[in-house]
Amino acid sequence: MADAPRTGGAETPGAETPGGETPGGEPSSGAAPGGPVPRLLCDAQQVAAEAPGPAGVLWRLAESGRQLDANVIRIPPEGRIDTHLEPDLDVLLYVVSGDGTVETEQGPQPLAEGGLLWLPHGSRRSMTAGPGGLAYLTVHRRRPGLQIKNRTVS
């Protein structure tokens, strides 16, 4: 069974706690009391470089009240994510380490460390990692939670 991905960022050296304090308990400058506090969540390159484990999600944004979803994902050497379509959300993909190819309806596009790719909603794509594998960060608007609605009977 694969380990659960890391989440959030409270364990990140230098990161602030949700209450707006530094890890030493000192108030951070400019933080609104009880309000949201910007903070460093993780070092994506370090997360990707740690033990070359199985494919999948290595880190996930899990902060409460967030409006975005973000994941650091690893594809093993020569691994592949089959063709899929995201009908509703635009996605930004940032290559953290390694290389590979994204196949789109316009043909293959190379992916290399530091590359930033926009995947507009409705676009079809598949991805293949190069010989050293591929790790990337995805960011997109958070999906609304599932809602249970009453059915109307006619």
Side-chain angles (χ1 to χ4, degrees):
M1 182 179 200
D3 293 336
R6 290 203 257 169
T7 60
E11 73 284 350
T12 304
E16 295 176 351
T17 63
E21 298 176 345
T22 64
E26 299 145 7
S28 61
S29 59
V37 177
R39 64 180 188 261
L40 180 65
L41 296 172
C42 76
D43 179 328
Q45 290 178 323
Q46 183 179 2
V47 168
E50 290 175 0
V57 178
L58 304 176
W59 176 89
R60 171 180 335 208
L61 181 63
E63 312 313 291
S64 63
R66 70 189 186 280
Q67 295 179 355
L68 295 174
D69 277 333
N71 300 287
V72 175
I73 299 167
R74 174 184 292 136
I75 304 175
E78 310 296 339
R80 177 174 168 79
I81 295 178
D82 288 331
T83 302
H84 61 286
L85 176 134
E86 169 48 65
D88 302 319
L89 301 173
D90 289 357
V91 177
L92 283 177
L93 183 150
Y94 176 75
V95 179
V96 175
S97 65
D99 64 356
T101 304
V102 62
E103 290 276 345
T104 69
E105 292 172 345
Q106 289 73 40
Q109 295 184 31
L111 297 173
E113 187 172 321
L116 181 62
L117 180 67
W118 173 50
L119 300 166
H121 68 281
S123 63
R124 291 189 184 280
R125 65 272 194 164
S126 65
M127 296 177 58
T128 305
L134 177 66
Y136 59 92
L137 168 72
T138 61
V139 180
H140 58 80
R141 184 173 33 93
R142 190 173 182 195
R143 295 179 188 283
L146 295 176
Q147 297 178 354
I148 299 174
K149 296 181 181 179
N150 292 331
R151 289 193 287 181
T152 57
V153 180
S154 29

